[in-house]
Each structure stands twice: as structure tokens, then as C-alpha cells.
Amino acid sequence: MTTEPHSFPRRHARTQRFTLGAPRSFTVAPDGSRVVFLRSGSGTDRANSLWVLDTEEGAERVAADPRALLGGASEDLSPEERARRERSREGGAGIVGYATDTAVELASFALSGRLFAAELRAGTARGLSVPGPVIDPRPSPDGRHIAYVAQGALRVVGAEGENDRALAEPESENVSYGLAEFIAAEEMGRSRGFWWAPESDRLLMARVDDTPVRRWWIADPAHPEREPQRVPYPAAGTGNAEVRLFVIGLDGLRTEVVWDRARYPYLAHVHWSAAGAPLLLVQARDQRSQLILAVDPDSGATRMVHADEDRTWLDLFPGVPCWSPSGQLVRIADEGGARVLAVGDRPLTGAQLHVRALLDVSAHDVLISASAGAEAPGEPETGEVHVYRVNELGVERVSREPGVHAAVRAGEVTVLVSAALNRPGSRVQVLRDGKPTRTVPSYAEDPGMSPRVTLTEGGARRVPCAVLMPRDYDGDTPLPVLMDPYGGPHGQRVVAAHNAHLTSQWFADQGFAVVVADGRGTPGRSPAWEKAIHHDFTLSLDDQVEALEDLAKRYPLDLSRVAIRGWSYGGWLAGLAVLRRPDVFHAGIAGAPVTDWSLYDTHYTERYLGTPAEHPEAYAKSSLITAEGLSSPAEPHRPLMVVHGLADDNVVVAHALRLSSALLAAGRPHEVLPLSGVTHITPQEQVAENLLLLQVDFLKRSLGITAP
């Protein structure tokens, strides 16, 4: 299937959802003189360069250009690096990540498996001759050394390329040093496996042994001549990798960090700063209890700083736990029915804010991102996320305009990244003492459309919703409905940001009223809202139905023609909707769906459903394969399209194949669209473009919509 070169689907795919060319990954120098960031050269250029902004003069310069450093050669990525990028959903190229020393004068990064260092004041970069392929290089705080991982070994080299050596080498093919295991990177938000001491004389180092993890095979049926990929996959209820932690000196001498790993096997977070001893956050496997531990780096002994328990589960939050400069513990916790920021023993926020992440800690305040809490005065700010300064004197909002905001800060300089409904992309401002002084330009393409979106709420539970109508629609004629949710944990879709609604608007322009609903389980409202799905994912479907029926009272929705589409959790939700509620939903597109939750990973699935052995009823109720009434001939059989990438190592294609087999056995009509060589994300331009077009064709056929 082809289309004109400048169609929305083609531009959406070519620009990677209009993200290419936008500045990202900011680091601010402690003295505020420099801001370092990544940006590609245009809205269709995938290769990121490393840039430096002089905050006083406003001048930008390139510190490292990947094309120049590689001499025009194409990138060659190792399987380990490809896996890291898949875990972080990284679709870019060139320099996709970097790390700096404390002064932000030296940066290091991997490019095509080679190690490079950049002098940020001078704006020069050089390659260092070390064994590869290099993964996750990080300078020491004093800038004299660079630690990195190659072939599963943690190595260190002088910043000028001298005295390269291995600090720890794997004892077997199942062992690695300095890397995050699969579930840490995929589910815990921990992509690192080593951390420098503030004095630059030693490191904390994770040792991962995935021997206990079951092996799965991922093949490419389109290339039978290729051997299948053998991957360790920790499915729910099965063995996890064994993770140990060591303090290791630059001479290779190591001391093991000791805690009750049998009771708390998950190493969720590590923090090491000059403000205090190293901090660990370790979780029990059921994620209902966790400890914050301080480490004695000389002996490896740990002492408990704080303990948490929760009858459902304990969430992990970016940036915490950590020490404040004065040595107080900073954490985010669910307390008193709210998600609060606590410094020391004192909560500094209450029910007015729903805290999402810690952004920075200074001697004077804490910088956080948060949305309106369940008990915020007035109407909740649907879909908005703001940046706040918090201290014992109160709370001050840093971001002023409505929208979705994030920030990076050091000293008196803050980089504020802001998205809004009334303009495309994101605006990046450099603030000094809270006042805008510079703007970092974006080279991202303008999408050429503005979503016709209304943010509202639906049903008695006030489910956050976005309603999108065709841009040329001015009548009262009821429109066929397309529900377009994610609908699950960590996946808020109803946001006050322009580009977040572009694909939904394109579907609306094909003749649909598009509804995006964030039901219970999605982030952003309250701990109780997020935790309501404990042991029962199907509540997500109940909220979709409730929101749809309520919105139909206010909008021209044709409830006799309702379809639903989604990807990943949203794909599961779409399949569930068609199978469980054919009275409401008349067609569905399930993209990369989890169809049997016992095939999904431990840390995610067990948090919500427990283990399959302890809670088989929760798995059965949430399964598409054992769906109640699946084989009943009395129910209407609604058309379902199942889309899945054959190379997906997160939600493996076995999910789609097992669903198709069950549907076939039950006589259920369905279509299967296999995507050869595609993982859980679809960065391939032609695949991503045609996938949108094929979905529209399926929806119109299934709902009986004729072309005008």
C-alpha cells in the first residue's frame, strides 16, 4: 500500500511522531554557564549530535557530530545496545545518550560501539581506543576516568585513553557486570548497572546472573536461514535474574554489599552523592514491602533508613530516594490517601498535589513534577502536569501556562520543557532565578494540523477523557466512534499537549469521533485510582464503557458503530472489549496485545495480579484466551484485527498466535497482521505509515462505512 509522500501517515513515520529535531536530554552545569543537550539536524534527521548552549551569550555549538566522528560510515550496533534501546523505546540514531562529570566539562558516549569523549568547554570530541562494543560509558565525577561496559565486563580507562583495564569480568556467559537486567530496564526505570563514588575512587557495581531465568526463542519466520535468538525472559511466576551489588575500587578489589536478598531481591534504585552514604531501594518480590538502605562502602554492610509497606503495591518514582544537601532523606510516598513528597520525617505536600517525580534537590528547596491531587481546590486540571518548587515554607508553581511540563536544574538555572494544546511540539526555555532568559530552538517539523480536542471527564467516576472531532465537522450528524485508549498503568493518554493527539486527530479526520479515556489504573489522579485494578485489570474496560456512554449524552456519538484500537496494554484492552462487550464494541484492533498475562514479565505482572500460582483467578479473568463465553455461539462475533511484530522481545508474538488459535477454535472472525522484523515499537517508516492506513481500511470495512 502506498500513498502520497506528504501524507500525515508518511510524515508521522518519517519524523518519528514529529520528535526528530527536538532538543532533549538536558544537563546543566553547576555554575549555570552551560546547558548540554542532544538534537538532530532536522525534523527528518535521526542522528543526534551533542550540543552546548552558553547561557550567558546565548550561543550554541556542536560538541560532537556523529557523522564527522564516524567519517561518514554507518552505525553498527551490538545486540546488547539494540536491546538497551528497545528497553528505553529509543528510535533515534547517532548519539542517543551521554554522561558527564560533575563540573559538566567532560562528556562520554558510545557511538557505533566505540567510546568517545567530548571536551564541553572547547567543543571538541575524540575517540578512545578501547575494547568494544562499548555500552553506557560514564566519566568519574572528577573527570579523570571513564567507566564503561564491554562484553559483559566493567572496565575503566583514563580520560585521555590511557591505562584501560577490566575491573570485573564475567565468570560465565550468563553473568554480566555493570548492566541493568531486563526487568530493571523494562519495568523499574533503572537503566544503569554502575555508579561512581563522589570521590571518584571506586564504584558501586551490579553483578547480574540470569541463569535462573527461563530461555525463550525469538525467530524471524521471514528469514528461515537465520538462527533464532535465545533470550532470557522472566515470565510471571518464574525465576528472575540474581542481582548482587559490589563496591569495587579502581584496583579491582571488591566488597559485596550485604542485604537480605532472599526477602528483597529487587534492586530498584541506587543513589550515591556527596551528601551521604550510598542509598539503595530494595523491594520484596510481591512489591508490598521495601527498604531504603544506607551502605557502608568500606565494609559493604547496610543499615535501614526507612521501610515502607502497602497492602496492594509500592510504586517506584524517578529521582528518589536520595539525600538532600543537608543529609535528610528525600522520598515520594503514598500516605494519607495522597502521593506526597517527604523530606526527613515531614511531608511537604498534601492532597492538593499528586507528586510524580523528583527533579532536583538543593539546599533551599526541592523541584518536583506533579498534577492536581484528588482534593485540589476547584476543578482538576485535566491532563496537566506542572513543575513546582517545594520547601518548608510552601509550594510555588514554576511552570505558568497550561500544559505538560518537565525540568532539569542545577544551581540557579532551570531548563523548562513545556508542551501545550495550542502549539505543536515542545518549547524549551532556560530560566535563571525563575525568569526566562534563553530559548533552545527545535528543528522538529510542524505537523501541519491542530487537533480539535476537548479535554473533559466521563461517567460517575469522572474518567479523564479527550474527545476529538473531524476538523471539518460542523454538524450534528452522529459519527461512528473510535475509542483510542492505552488505559493502563504508566500510560496516561489524556494530556494537555498538542502532539499527543495527532494520530487520534488523523483518525478523526477519516470520519470518526475519537474518544481517549484514562480509566482506573492510569496515572495522574490518586494512589487509590491507580491501585483500583489490583487483581482485576478488567476494571479498565468498565471505565471505557462508562465514559463512552456518558459522553454520548453530550456529543454526537453513534453508539451503533463503535470501534476500539490500542497497542500493548491498549491492545489487550481492545481485544478484551470486543470479546467481553460485543454489545458495546463492534470492531477492534489489538496491537501487540498481552493475551495471556502469565507470559508477561515478573515485576510488572506480579505487581498487579500476584503470581499465577497464588492468584490463578486473576490471570484467568484478565486473559483473552480463557475469555468467558469465548466459544459461545449466542454472542455476536465482532471483527478483530490482531497486529504483532515478530521480533518483539517484550510482548512476544506467542501472545498473538495463542489468541488467534483460540479464536479460530471458537469460530471467531479475526485477522492477523504479522510484522516481520518489527519489535514492540515500529520505527520502520513504511511499516508505520501503512499500518495506520490498513487500520483505517479495517475499521471502515468492519463498521460498514463507505468512502465519500
Side-chain angles (χ1 to χ4, degrees):
M1 181 177 289
T2 58
T3 187
E4 64 271 20
H6 300 296
S7 69
F8 172 82
R10 173 58 63 93
R11 295 183 64 226
H12 185 261
R14 180 171 293 176
T15 61
Q16 292 191 356
R17 304 173 304 281
F18 301 97
T19 62
L20 298 179
R24 63 184 180 97
S25 303
F26 299 94
T27 304
V28 181
D31 62 3
S33 63
R34 295 177 304 286
V35 173
V36 185
F37 60 96
L38 299 177
R39 186 178 56 198
S40 63
S42 74
T44 57
D45 181 10
R46 294 179 62 241
N48 290 289
S49 295
L50 185 66
W51 292 77
V52 178
L53 168 69
D54 185 313
T55 58
E56 293 294 335
E57 298 179 359
E60 293 181 356
R61 63 178 182 274
V62 177
D65 180 343
R67 293 182 176 88
L69 293 174
L70 294 180
S74 59
E75 289 186 68
D76 181 18
L77 301 181
S78 67
E80 294 82 4
E81 179 62 22
R82 292 184 187 277
R84 279 172 53 84
R85 296 190 184 192
E86 181 69 19
R87 300 285 72 78
S88 62
R89 310 295 188 261
E90 174 60 68
I95 304 169
V96 299
Y98 68 95
T100 72
D101 60 354
T102 299
V104 192
E105 295 184 351
L106 177 72
S108 63
F109 54 90
L111 183 60
S112 195
R114 296 165 54 193
L115 174 60
F116 290 88
E119 298 289 349
L120 298 175
R121 287 186 182 274
T124 59
R126 62 187 184 279
L128 304 182
S129 181
V130 299
V134 170
I135 297 175
D136 196 26
R138 294 181 176 272
S140 57
D142 63 9
R144 297 175 58 192
H145 308 280
I146 299 173
Y148 65 97
V149 178
Q151 303 293 333
L154 179 63
R155 306 182 65 90
V156 67
V157 64
E160 300 297 327
E162 76 282 6
N163 196 23
D164 179 83
R165 60 202 182 277
L167 298 183
E169 296 184 279
E171 296 84 3
S172 72
E173 64 177 3
N174 295 335
V175 172
S176 65
Y177 285 96
L179 295 178
E181 73 277 21
F182 174 92
I183 55 170
E186 183 68 41
E187 307 297 0
M188 300 182 203
R190 178 172 66 79
S191 59
R192 301 174 55 180
F194 67 89
W195 300 264
W196 278 102
E199 299 81 12
S200 303
D201 59 342
R202 48 190 168 179
L203 305 96
L204 277 169
M205 169 188 70
R207 178 187 187 272
V208 174
D209 183 352
D210 61 22
T211 301
V213 183
R214 287 183 181 177
R215 264 46 180 182
W216 285 4
W217 300 89
I218 298 178
D220 185 355
H223 293 279
E225 74 281 2
R226 297 177 184 173
E227 289 189 2
Q229 182 185 3
R230 183 171 180 258
V231 298
Y233 192 92
T238 69
N240 280 313
E242 180 187 78
V243 180
R244 298 162 64 186
L245 192 66
F246 295 86
V247 178
I248 189 164
L250 297 184
D251 56 3
L253 294 178
R254 69 176 79 170
T255 301
E256 183 164 6
V257 177
V258 179
W259 77 92
D260 186 356
R261 291 190 295 110
R263 177 73 181 89
Y264 300 96
Y266 288 137
L267 177 63
H269 183 79
V270 177
H271 166 79
W272 200 354
S273 71
L279 282 178
L280 313 181
L281 175 62
V282 295
Q283 278 192 330
R285 176 147 179 172
D286 65 8
Q287 299 171 64
R288 295 184 183 186
S289 61
Q290 65 187 23
L291 301 178
I292 299 174
L293 303 173
V295 180
D296 180 340
D298 295 323
S299 68
T302 57
R303 62 177 175 86
M304 187 180 72
V305 178
H306 185 82
D308 286 304
E309 292 187 357
D310 192 284
R311 64 180 182 177
T312 51
W313 70 74
L314 290 158
D315 278 304
L316 302 173
F317 308 106
V320 291
C322 67
W323 297 118
S324 72
S326 62
Q328 290 184 293
L329 180 67
V330 182
R331 59 189 179 89
I332 297 170
D334 294 346
E335 296 179 355
R339 181 154 298 156
V340 302
L341 171 74
V343 177
D345 296 327
R346 180 180 176 184
L348 295 187
T349 61
Q352 80 280 10
L353 290 182
H354 185 70
V355 181
R356 293 168 173 258
L358 183 141
L359 306 175
D360 183 55
V361 184
S362 74
H364 308 291
D365 59 33
V366 181
L367 197 70
I368 63 170
S369 67
S371 48
E375 298 182 18
E379 290 298 314
E381 302 163 302
T382 301
E384 294 191 24
V385 180
H386 287 280
V387 175
Y388 297 85
R389 294 176 58 243
V390 182
N391 58 28
E392 294 184 351
L393 299 178
V395 177
E396 176 188 0
R397 199 166 95 178
V398 175
S399 48
R400 298 300 181 188
E401 65 172 340
V404 177
H405 307 267
V408 176
R409 183 180 74 172
E412 301 301 322
V413 171
T414 301
V415 176
L416 181 66
V417 183
S418 304
L421 277 175
N422 60 1
R423 65 167 186 270
S426 294
R427 181 174 65 190
V428 179
Q429 294 178 297
V430 179
L431 313 180
R432 186 177 290 274
D433 296 325
K435 299 177 181 178
T437 60
R438 306 290 179 192
T439 299
V440 182
S442 173
Y443 302 154
E445 286 197 2
D446 190 312
M449 70 160 71
S450 293
R452 182 175 174 175
V453 58
T454 301
L455 300 184
T456 184
E457 294 177 338
R461 294 188 182 87
R462 299 168 58 204
V463 174
C465 297
V467 180
L468 298 100
M469 293 294 183
R471 286 175 293 161
D472 60 357
Y473 178 76
D474 293 316
D476 297 323
T477 303
L479 294 174
V481 183
L482 176 61
M483 302 291 287
D484 189 16
Y486 180 80
H490 313 298
Q492 184 179 3
R493 288 282 314 282
V494 181
V495 293
H498 179 283
N499 284 24
H501 303 287
L502 290 174
T503 301
S504 295
Q505 183 63 56
W506 181 78
F507 274 100
D509 290 343
Q510 312 311 306
F512 297 92
V514 177
V515 175
V516 182
D518 283 344
R520 285 168 291 176
T522 54
R525 175 167 288 181
S526 71
W529 179 264
E530 296 178 14
K531 295 178 182 181
I533 59 170
H534 192 222
H535 290 166
D536 189 359
F537 278 156
T538 65
L539 295 181
S540 300
L541 177 58
D542 296 342
D543 291 346
Q544 296 293 314
V545 175
E546 178 181 324
L548 171 66
E549 292 176 344
D550 184 56
L551 291 173
K553 301 173 184 176
R554 292 177 274 147
Y555 296 89
L557 308 182
D558 181 356
L559 296 188
S560 69
R561 295 184 293 174
V562 179
I564 183 171
R565 69 180 285 269
W567 195 266
S568 197
Y569 190 100
W572 166 81
L573 187 53
L576 187 77
V578 169
L579 297 174
R580 299 283 178 90
R581 297 300 306 269
D583 57 318
V584 176
F585 298 95
H586 307 95
I589 299 173
V594 178
T595 65
D596 180 352
W597 286 98
S598 67
L599 292 180
Y600 200 57
D601 71 49
T602 52
H603 194 270
Y604 182 97
T605 315
E606 293 172 10
R607 179 190 312 141
Y608 307 117
L609 300 182
T611 64
E614 294 175 343
H615 298 280
E617 73 289 344
Y619 282 78
K621 187 174 185 180
S622 298
S623 172
L624 301 187
I625 296 171
T626 60
E628 301 165 3
L630 182 64
S631 59
S632 172
E635 292 183 355
H637 292 178
R638 303 303 191 186
L640 174 65
M641 173 186 277
V642 182
V643 185
H644 217 118
L646 298 181
D648 196 334
D649 68 349
N650 179 22
V651 182
V652 295
V653 75
H655 287 273
L657 297 177
R658 292 188 182 186
L659 175 61
S660 179
S661 295
L663 293 172
L664 182 62
R668 295 272 186 171
H670 68 286
E671 303 176 16
V672 178
L673 180 60
L675 306 177
S676 179
V678 172
T679 60
H680 201 57
I681 55 177
T682 53
Q684 297 91 334
E685 184 176 316
Q686 288 185 325
V687 172
E689 173 195 18
N690 289 326
L691 186 55
L692 288 178
L693 298 173
L694 287 168
Q695 289 181 64
V696 168
D697 177 71
F698 171 82
L699 294 171
K700 289 186 174 181
R701 283 190 286 112
S702 300
L703 297 181
I705 301 172
T706 58

